[in-house]
Amino acid sequence: MSKMSVLKKRMIALAAVAGITGAVGLAVGTANSQMAPFGGDEDVAYSQQLWSALTDAKLVGDGRIRTVAYEGTEPHGFVLETLYGQVTIGEHTGTVIVKQNYGPEGLTPEQVNNDAGKKPAAVTVMFFREAGYDDDNKNIFWAKFLGDGSLDKNPKGMQLAGKIAKGMDAGCIACHSGADGGDYEFLRNM
Ligand code: HEC
């Protein structure tokens, strides 16, 4: 066999393997988005309703109420502002906590406080939903938006809205479940 044809065969074999893993990857991806506790179609639709209610309540967007910016802690960003409010989605009115996350590194709270038009890099939200939504975790709907209201994604490409990441060792629920008093809130316990 010539060197050339061996190479060709290897390339075909490689392509076949790549094809198989591609198909498996796709199947796993589909299963994930159907079974995952967050990032599904319903979560995304609900997050859009939430963003629009937050905009009306002046808790996000260019017309948002500004409050004092403070130095952030990991993983939330370098400078933060946190607002508490109430919004109604469908039949349910609940408390919402909205955190504006500003960067980049090196930014100071003074710079954010003095910049009336400052846009956040991300907006993280906890919305206390109706009983039965997620009774094990205080019925909180979690979301991480980018400054423009689109949803941020995790490294696997899953949109960050819903029960993030229920049952897993890391993520919103895992970390916030360690807050004092078991209420998933850090700031009001500090
Ligand atoms: C590794 C731990 C950790 C993870 C993961 C985490 N947070 Fe937080 N979060 C904190 C800490 C600590 C605070 C309080 C300090 C601050 O303001 O950053 C906080 C504060 C908040 C607050 C203000 C209310 C409060 O608890 O006092 C919101 C809203 C929030 N986080 C949303 C989220 C969302 C949404 C996610 C997931 C996309 C998330 N967090 C992931 C640690 C975490």
Side-chain angles (χ1 to χ4, degrees), residues 3-180:
K3 224 179 176 185
M4 193 66 182
S5 71
V6 170
L7 205 72
K8 242 186 192 164
K9 270 194 184 151
R10 272 199 196 143
M11 277 166 73
I12 290 164
L14 258 178
V17 170
I20 290 164
T21 43
V24 169
L26 206 73
V28 168
T30 314
N32 266 349
S33 60
Q34 276 163 4
M35 286 153 49
F38 66 99
D41 293 347
E42 248 176 71
D43 298 318
V44 172
Y46 195 89
S47 77
Q48 286 161 350
Q49 280 182 281
L50 182 58
W51 183 264
S52 127
L54 293 174
T55 308
D56 291 347
K58 298 196 179 343
L59 294 169
V60 298
D62 289 343
R64 72 186 182 280
I65 298 158
R66 294 290 300 271
T67 178
V68 63
Y70 56 95
E71 195 176 322
T73 42
E74 276 305 310
H76 280 300
F78 300 103
V79 179
L80 305 169
E81 279 173 15
T82 303
L83 285 169
Y84 296 82
Q86 289 225 315
V87 290
T88 302
I89 309 276
E91 306 274 281
H92 174 75
T93 301
T95 298
V96 68
I97 314 177
V98 180
K99 186 197 288 293
Q100 313 285 337
N101 305 254
Y102 301 98
E105 188 168 9
L107 187 75
T108 65
E110 291 69 31
Q111 285 171 312
V112 173
N113 285 325
N114 289 329
D115 183 350
K118 183 72 187 166
K119 293 194 190 301
V123 181
T124 35
V125 178
M126 293 164 66
F127 178 50
F128 292 80
R129 285 190 61 164
E130 67 282 359
Y133 169 66
D134 186 9
D135 288 320
D136 320 335
N137 302 114
K138 298 276 180 216
N139 296 306
I140 302 168
F141 182 91
W142 306 84
K144 183 173 182 191
F145 299 96
L146 299 176
D148 65 0
S150 61
L151 284 173
D152 197 5
K153 294 182 182 147
N154 73 5
K156 287 183 182 157
M158 293 168 72
Q159 305 205 74
L160 295 176
K163 299 166 196 164
I164 316 171
K166 192 177 170 73
M168 298 171 205
D169 298 342
C172 316
I173 293 177
C175 189
H176 276 253
S177 69
D180 283 352

